[in-house]
Amino acid sequence: NPSMYEIYVVSVTTDSAGTADVVTGPAEAPKPMPELSVPAYGQTELKPGGVHIRLKDLKAPLKAGDSVELTLTTDGGVTIKVTAPVKKG
């Protein structure tokens, strides 16, 4: 986040799955998060077992090393396109 304001990501979409959401915790029992904050002039790391993006209803199988195009939407309505690597969780 190169801005002087904290950013709040409130939704995630992708063409690779029916739905995508931000969750925290292990894959067996993830807890939904209403928003993902990214500090001013900082970053937020997503990782297995912690905060991560969960994809449901995949349109094709994914494996470690693949990448997924995601659209993040902030609470201000700004959309951010990112490419995320698929990692073994």
Side-chain angles (χ1 to χ4, degrees):
N1 175 10
S3 76
M4 61 188 276
Y5 302 103
E6 188 168 20
I7 293 173
Y8 298 94
V9 175
V10 295
S11 71
V12 181
T13 59
T14 180
D15 290 338
S16 299
T19 62
D21 55 352
V22 179
V23 296
T24 187
E28 304 81 39
K31 296 178 184 170
M33 296 180 60
E35 62 189 19
L36 172 65
S37 65
V38 182
Y41 303 116
Q43 60 188 7
T44 298
E45 183 179 353
L46 305 181
K47 56 187 172 184
V51 176
H52 60 280
I53 296 173
R54 173 178 59 183
L55 304 178
K56 289 184 179 178
D57 303 321
L58 293 176
K59 297 184 179 176
L62 297 173
K63 62 184 182 308
D66 289 346
S67 60
V68 175
E69 300 293 321
L70 302 168
T71 301
L72 312 177
T73 303
T74 68
D75 61 338
V78 175
T79 58
I80 303 164
K81 304 257 185 203
V82 297
T83 301
V86 176
K87 296 182 179 181
K88 183 177 180 181

